[in-house]
């Protein structure tokens, strides 16, 4: 079974803190994604990566950065957390450019910024 | 820009009823369409994936159809059970011009409650 794990289920941080959200997948997937999910707005893509050290902006990259030093790990970084970044963050992975395959999601991290 | 709409936003039915969830998308140039299930506070689980060349897919009590030309998909759930209560999300995978990326574009979901 494909497994995508996220470092924390719940996280509480203060405004201005630097926050790291970690995601690890065990299926040797090339693609990895970070989404945020908010009521009434649905899932929105923040950043994605096709390969190690590669990254591309999604629909809402402002206020975020990412790091992919190893194929299995994709980190989302909030350089200076703000209250409007309180949200559910979901990581996903998939095989590279295989249109027949789905994205596999992690359990999510509920981040609260006070 | 691809947009995905799901109607209704919420649905409450008695146990045993057959039901249909709807999904529509604005750009028919898709690779595939997927239905996901999300339980409260959890991640997404893929239920069914329909390729653009297919008309439907079935898994147990679930049947998903795709009409690409009209930009519509339906998820049919037969003999609903309380355990089916969850939010159901529709997503289309379509090509992006930038770098050949293939993005998933999600609808906002239908929250289903099946009452015992």
């Amino acid at each position: 079974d494909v497994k995508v794990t996220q470092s924390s289920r719940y996280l509480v941080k203060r405004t201005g803190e630097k926050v790291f959200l970690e995601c690890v997948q065990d299926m040797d997937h090339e693609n990895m994604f970070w989404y945020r999910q908010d009521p009434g707005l649905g899932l929105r893509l923040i950043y994605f990566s096709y390969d190690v050290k590669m990254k591309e902006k999604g629909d809402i990259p402002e206020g975020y950065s990412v790091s992919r030093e190893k194929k299995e790990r994709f980190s989302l970084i909030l350089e200076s957390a703000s209250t409007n970044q309180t949200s559910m963050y979901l990581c996903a992975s998939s095989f590279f450019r295989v249109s027949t395959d789905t994205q596999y999601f992690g359990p999510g991290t509920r981040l609260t910024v006070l | 820009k691809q947009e995905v709409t799901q109607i209704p936003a919420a649905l409450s039915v008695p146990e045993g009823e057959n039901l249909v969830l709807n999904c529509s998308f604005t750009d028919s140039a898709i690779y595939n369409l997927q239905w996901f299930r999300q339980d409260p506070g959890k991640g997404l689980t893929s239920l069914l994936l329909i390729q653009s060349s297919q008309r439907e897919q079935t898994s147990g009590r679930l049947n998903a159809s795709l009409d690409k030309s009209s930009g519509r998909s339906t998820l049919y759930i037969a003999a609903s059970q309380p355990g089916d209560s969850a939010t159901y999300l529709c997503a289309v995978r379509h090509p992006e011009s930038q770098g050949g990326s293939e993005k998933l574009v999600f609808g906002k979901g239908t929250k289903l409650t099946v009452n015992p």
Side-chain angles (χ1 to χ4, degrees):
Chain A
D1 273 357
V2 176
K3 195 160 186 181
V4 180
T5 57
Q6 295 184 229
S7 50
S8 305
R9 291 300 311 277
Y10 301 95
L11 209 53
V12 179
K13 296 291 181 181
R14 298 215 172 267
T15 301
E17 279 192 76
K18 189 169 186 175
V19 181
F20 292 86
L21 302 183
E22 305 283 341
C23 175
V24 177
Q25 50 90 8
D26 66 357
M27 277 299 291
D28 203 34
H29 285 168
E30 289 85 0
N31 297 336
M32 296 190 75
F33 307 83
W34 274 108
Y35 296 89
R36 65 177 282 177
Q37 186 177 31
D38 301 287
L41 296 176
L43 269 86
R44 294 178 291 168
L45 182 64
I46 306 171
Y47 266 98
F48 58 103
S49 169
Y50 286 132
D51 203 351
V52 175
K53 297 192 185 298
M54 291 184 67
K55 61 184 179 184
E56 292 206 31
K57 293 179 180 179
D59 298 319
I60 51 163
E62 296 79 19
Y64 303 94
S65 62
V66 291
S67 172
R68 192 157 180 209
E69 296 296 319
K70 293 185 177 181
K71 191 175 184 180
E72 67 271 18
R73 187 180 298 270
F74 193 35
S75 302
L76 180 69
I77 303 159
L78 287 65
E79 294 289 343
S80 178
S82 63
T83 54
N84 63 12
Q85 292 178 310
T86 291
S87 186
M88 171 70 111
Y89 289 87
L90 291 164
C91 174
S93 69
S94 69
F95 285 111
F96 183 69
R97 297 185 185 179
V98 176
S99 299
T100 56
D101 198 31
T102 186
Q103 289 183 14
Y104 297 87
F105 282 79
T109 295
R110 172 76 65 184
L111 173 67
T112 301
V113 182
L114 302 175
Chain B
K1 181 186 173 187
Q2 179 74 268
E3 292 182 2
V4 179
T5 304
Q6 291 187 247
I7 295 173
L11 183 63
S12 182
V13 300
E15 182 176 2
E17 197 162 289
N18 302 325
L19 59 100
V20 174
L21 307 181
N22 296 294
C23 171
S24 62
F25 48 96
T26 53
D27 186 344
S28 62
I30 63 171
Y31 286 130
N32 61 43
L33 182 143
Q34 301 176 61
W35 284 93
F36 291 88
R37 170 186 172 135
Q38 186 176 30
D39 293 292
K42 302 283 181 65
L44 277 67
T45 301
S46 180
L47 296 173
L48 290 164
L49 185 153
I50 313 175
Q51 298 301 330
S52 62
S53 58
Q54 296 175 323
R55 296 286 298 206
E56 65 178 338
Q57 282 287 333
T58 298
S59 176
R61 295 182 293 109
L62 305 180
N63 176 277
S65 69
L66 174 64
D67 184 343
K68 206 172 77 158
S69 60
S70 68
R72 293 182 182 180
S73 176
T74 61
L75 179 66
Y76 175 83
I77 302 177
S80 59
Q81 302 170 358
D84 294 330
S85 298
T87 296
Y88 291 81
L89 293 153
C90 165
V92 297
R93 189 166 183 174
H94 79 122
E96 285 273 313
S97 56
Q98 252 181 325
S101 63
E102 296 171 12
K103 292 172 60 175
L104 276 182
V105 179
F106 285 85
K108 294 179 182 176
T110 294
K111 185 175 181 180
L112 173 66
T113 303
V114 181
N115 301 300

